[in-house]
Amino acid sequence: QAGVPEPILSTAQQRERAARRMAAALGYNECVTYSFIDKASATLFGGGEDATMLANPISSEMSHMRPDLLPGLLQAAARNQARGATDLALFELGHAFHGGEPGEQHVQVSGILVGRTGPKDVHKASRPVDLYDAKADAEAILGALDAPAKVQILRGASEWWHPGRHGMICLGPKKVLGVFGELHPKVLREMDVKGPVVGFTLYPAEIPLPRKADANRGAMTASDLQAVERDFAFVVDADVEALTLVNAAAGADKSLIEDVRVFDEFIGGSLGEGKKSLALTVRLQPTDKTLKDADIEAVSAKIVEKVTKATGGTLRG
């Protein structure tokens, strides 16, 4: 109809709609919880200070503005468990508050998986949920939000995540798109939730905006050149995380290295006390020309250099 403008959604609104659709498609049920929670729950998630306390709360259970969406989802999980529902997939999209002033809020997409996975085959096999379930779902939602595909997985998330079973999805050390992993057992105990519980929190506003109004991820670029895989084994101190090796190896040549994965771990034995061997497979995918032996050797040397520098380890002979 002439004169009637086309409805236009902002990028933020488009992303919120895409996140909701993808989470629902992954099997999550959407929750809409109150923006106010009790002080104890808020404190567990980095809030609960006077700045976010309400002047006239309607009850003691709603005394503070929520610092995160996860406590509301965990409270919903506890209520469901009390009524006999043990396997849950819940998500919410909404504002969390990092202060009490106007504008001191940010949009989050958070989800939790509780209990066991659904039946995966005709034999009704299921298993407890784990952080890789949360990682896959977080990556799928970020993909629906047109987030860059090349990211780093780093440690160092907030204390409500399990310190050894989480990952921050980053574009750089200070650009965090989201966190996935296992919720800390202490938090679950405090909130009366039976584990395991894994989940994710994503920050849509941290995803870079498209360069042009009509920009999208574009068509997938498939190379018809032969990919090459090389294996490396490094001897490192027993407390060195595999993630450190993977990130170091991946950084050796970001344009050529398509994937790095750990396929073996060996501890002790002939390596000596306090040492372990980690074996990596590195996949090289050329885009413009077939790799020659000299090219592969050069990248391999760079991988060894990067990993030994990052870990203090040595290439295993």
Side-chain angles (χ1 to χ4, degrees), residues 3-17:
V4 177
E6 288 288 319
I8 296 173
L9 293 179
S10 69
T11 302
Q13 290 168 324
Q14 289 173 338
R15 285 176 169 176
E16 288 178 18
R17 186 164 70 173

Side-chain angles (χ1 to χ4, degrees), residues 5 35 49 56 63 92 119-121 124 137 281:
S35 296
E49 68 283 341
N56 296 297
S63 60
E92 184 166 10
K120 296 297 185 191
D121 57 37
K124 298 284 189 268
D137 292 345
T281 291

Side-chain angles (χ1 to χ4, degrees), residues 203-222:
Y203 308 103
E206 294 300 309
I207 299 169
L209 291 169
R211 288 200 176 93
K212 300 192 295 291
D214 61 347
N216 56 36
R217 284 165 82 92
M220 187 183 81
T221 54

Side-chain angles (χ1 to χ4, degrees), residues 31-287:
C31 294
V32 181
T33 65
Y34 286 105
S35 296
F36 316 121
I37 56 174
D38 60 286
K39 181 173 183 175
S41 298
T43 304
L44 282 174
F45 287 82
E49 68 283 341
D50 289 348
T52 55
M53 187 167 67
L54 301 184
N56 296 297
I58 57 175
S59 83
S60 61
E61 298 300 305
M62 297 184 190
S63 60
H64 285 72
M65 296 158 80
R66 62 187 178 190
D68 199 281
L69 301 187
L70 288 171
L73 291 174
L74 289 170
Q75 288 174 348
R79 289 193 294 271
N80 275 274
Q81 287 180 336
R83 289 161 177 76
T86 54
D87 302 332
L88 306 165
L90 309 174
F91 89 96
E92 184 166 10
L93 189 154
H95 284 100
F97 302 88
H98 50 274
E101 297 300 317
E104 292 185 330
Q105 60 190 44
H106 54 280
V107 172
Q108 288 183 195
V109 185
S110 291
I112 58 171
L113 295 169
V114 187
R116 300 180 70 83
T117 61
K120 296 297 185 191
D121 57 37
V122 292
H123 303 295
K124 298 284 189 268
S126 72
R127 57 173 174 74
V129 293
D130 62 31
L131 79 161
Y132 297 105
D133 298 314
K135 179 175 186 276
D137 292 345
E139 288 174 337
I141 295 171
L142 285 173
L145 299 179
D146 286 336
K150 282 233 170 183
V151 295
Q152 289 177 292
I153 306 296
L154 303 175
R155 289 268 194 252
S158 303
E159 62 274 9
W160 52 87
W161 298 99
H162 189 297
R165 298 178 194 161
H166 78 267
M168 298 193 302
I169 303 169
C170 304
L171 295 180
K174 295 182 179 176
K175 190 73 168 172
V176 181
L177 304 185
V179 185
F180 66 86
E182 197 173 300
L183 274 298
H184 200 293
K186 179 190 73 172
V187 170
L188 299 184
R189 277 197 306 274
E190 294 277 344
M191 301 200 69
D192 203 22
V193 179
K194 301 178 193 71
V197 178
V198 297
F200 57 83
T201 293
L202 309 177
Y203 308 103
E206 294 300 309
I207 299 169
L209 291 169
R211 288 200 176 93
K212 300 192 295 291
D214 61 347
N216 56 36
R217 284 165 82 92
M220 187 183 81
T221 54
S223 175
D224 55 359
L225 298 172
Q226 178 70 38
V228 177
E229 290 195 348
R230 286 290 181 270
D231 295 343
F232 303 84
F234 294 92
V235 178
V236 295
D237 290 340
D239 60 351
V240 172
E241 289 192 340
L243 192 61
T244 307
L245 277 77
V246 170
N247 286 339
D253 189 328
K254 291 179 180 175
S255 61
L256 198 56
I257 295 173
E258 183 182 67
D259 184 44
V260 181
R261 63 184 186 276
V262 177
F263 70 87
D264 187 43
E265 180 183 58
F266 176 74
I267 299 173
S270 59
L271 299 176
E273 191 70 28
K275 295 286 184 182
K276 67 180 175 183
S277 168
L278 286 169
L280 310 175
T281 291
V282 180
R283 182 179 176 85
L284 309 176
Q285 178 59 68
T287 54

